[in-house]
Amino acid sequence: MNRLMSWPEPVVRVQSLSENGIGTIPDRYIKPISDRPALKSEIHDHLEVPVIDLQNLFGKDPALHQETSRRISSACRDWGFFQVVNHGVSHELMKRTRAVWRDFFELPLEVKQQYANSPSTYEGYGSRLGIEKGAILDWSDYFFLNYLPVTLRNQSKWPAQPVSCRELVAKYGAQITKLCGRLLKAMSINLELKEDYLQNAFGGDEMGACLRANFYPKCPQPELTLGLSSHSDPGAITILLPDPDVAGLQVRKGGKWITVKPFPNAFIVNVGDQIQVLSNANYKSVEHRVIVNSDKDRVSLAFFYNPKSDLLIEPAKELVNEDRPALYKPMTYDEYRLYIRMNGPCGKTQIESMKSNR
């Protein structure tokens, strides 16, 4: 763990590079040809991620409730990604929380540097994932903070400026946590488990949650780099509040990339690796990445709802039988996420390495 105490080389803020008006990006950000976003043959233009109205999930009509549940189940099995509307989170709160993070990234560098992070917890203002010296980097900066459990929530590590930031993050986190709980309940029922199965298996009231505010600056050569390299999320579920004006998230389906077009006032939900493990791959996490562009910067907020860090996560016994044995070895979330903290985002290699030898 000593290697995680500090970054292997000086950290460069991508926003500073972008604002300096460079015409070409440094070599450190140029991806191998196979990973660049410019290959049109790899893009699906006609497919769209499902949009699901959650209103009836919370309503009294059993037929409409069942239909909404069916759509969630189908999206979890076929896509691993979906957008949700009528989700119960205040649209005004969504707008204000995203705006306050944009304001944070527009603060002078010396103010943001007070929150500079280290790879030991990633908490604070950062510009890289993974600690490999000389690694090819992504074109983005971020701010990462712990929201749950409350024992890890340290508001003094959250930005003091803008002045409304801490209050908005606390309110936003509370509403998103409630949405996560409702979605886990729907997923449990769809898997023919008890409705609180997933929540309890991930630690109940002791589940973890963290927020990453992402800033993707304008890039003079967007065809050569990525805002975030291809990966699947290591936790349970992720709730993303995208930039409403600029698309950037791409999801991999059938070997091709689909650019997600944000639906007004929607969240983008994605299944994490731990749901794939617990569901014994009935539900699958999906590779995704972020592209950048030369005209506009982007701000998005990713809320990660994660298992209690020291719990062993393994396929639910109810979903294991002779025809479908346990596909994954038990592992704690702490052990699991250490991999991504060391190596940064790298497709689905991590969850594939967990497969049982049986």
Side-chain angles (χ1 to χ4, degrees), residues 21 42 44 159 213 231 295:
E42 284 195 356
H44 262 312
H231 65 289
D295 303 320

Side-chain angles (χ1 to χ4, degrees), residues 55-338:
Q55 192 170 338
N56 295 314
L57 192 64
F58 315 138
K60 300 271 193 288
D61 187 314
L64 292 173
H65 177 93
Q66 202 167 359
E67 173 57 19
T68 307
S69 289
R70 188 198 61 75
R71 294 200 66 208
I72 292 171
S73 181
S74 170
C76 290
R77 288 175 194 276
D78 301 339
W79 284 84
F81 260 85
F82 52 99
Q83 298 195 64
V84 293
V85 294
N86 290 321
H87 39 61
V89 179
S90 155
H91 293 174
E92 182 63 20
L93 181 61
M94 293 162 71
K95 194 171 153 186
R96 288 179 64 207
T97 308
R98 186 171 46 215
V100 85
W101 281 110
R102 179 170 281 283
D103 291 346
F104 169 80
F105 287 112
E106 286 172 2
L107 289 170
L109 182 60
E110 61 270 20
V111 176
K112 292 179 288 196
Q113 283 291 100
Q114 294 170 27
Y115 301 97
N117 72 350
S118 80
S120 57
T121 66
Y122 276 85
E123 262 189 295
Y125 177 50
S127 298
R128 66 178 292 166
L129 300 166
I131 56 166
E132 184 192 334
K133 193 169 183 177
I136 297 173
L137 302 175
D138 290 333
W139 192 262
S140 57
D141 299 323
Y142 62 84
F143 195 102
F144 183 87
L145 60 86
N146 285 313
Y147 184 76
L148 290 175
V150 175
T151 50
L152 283 183
R153 188 188 304 175
N154 184 350
Q155 291 200 355
S156 68
K157 292 183 178 179
W158 301 3
Q161 293 182 55
V163 288
S164 58
C165 185
R166 291 176 180 175
E167 182 190 355
L168 283 170
V169 168
K171 287 180 178 173
Y172 180 82
Q175 291 202 16
I176 302 295
T177 300
K178 191 181 283 188
L179 173 60
C180 288
R182 287 167 160 173
L183 289 169
L184 282 186
K185 196 173 277 191
M187 290 178 190
S188 293
I189 293 167
N190 290 337
L191 288 165
E192 299 181 3
L193 301 167
K194 290 178 181 171
E195 67 170 30
D196 56 359
Y197 186 96
L198 290 174
Q199 182 86 31
N200 287 342
F202 289 139
D205 292 340
E206 296 181 273
M207 279 189 73
C210 37
L211 178 76
R212 191 176 68 217
N214 303 301
F215 186 78
Y216 301 104
K218 289 183 281 193
C219 178
Q221 295 176 297
E223 71 283 358
L224 297 181
T225 191
L226 290 167
L228 188 55
S229 294
S230 173
H231 65 289
S232 59
D233 288 351
I237 50 175
T238 303
I239 309 285
L240 181 79
L241 178 60
D243 192 301
D245 303 318
V246 197
L249 177 67
Q250 290 188 326
V251 176
R252 196 174 182 92
K253 184 166 173 64
K256 295 198 173 189
W257 292 100
I258 297 157
T259 303
V260 180
K261 301 176 185 76
F263 200 84
N265 298 313
F267 285 110
I268 299 167
V269 179
N270 69 282
V271 171
D273 292 346
Q274 305 305 313
I275 292 261
Q276 178 168 328
V277 170
L278 225 139
S279 73
N280 207 24
N282 282 288
Y283 291 171
K284 293 186 179 70
S285 62
V286 170
E287 270 185 82
H288 51 286
R289 67 183 187 183
V290 176
I291 56 173
V292 290
N293 71 75
S294 54
D295 303 320
K296 292 181 176 176
D297 54 38
R298 290 176 61 248
V299 172
S300 69
L301 308 182
F303 188 89
F304 304 101
Y305 201 46
N306 299 326
K308 184 171 182 282
S309 61
D310 58 357
L311 277 185
L312 268 184
I313 306 296
E314 60 185 322
K317 301 283 186 283
E318 294 86 339
L319 302 176
V320 173
N321 54 47
E322 250 177 68
D323 297 331
R324 194 182 183 92
L327 297 175
Y328 304 99
K329 298 172 285 195
M331 186 183 281
T332 68
Y333 185 57
D334 255 350
E335 293 171 303
Y336 193 82
R337 69 179 166 190
L338 183 61

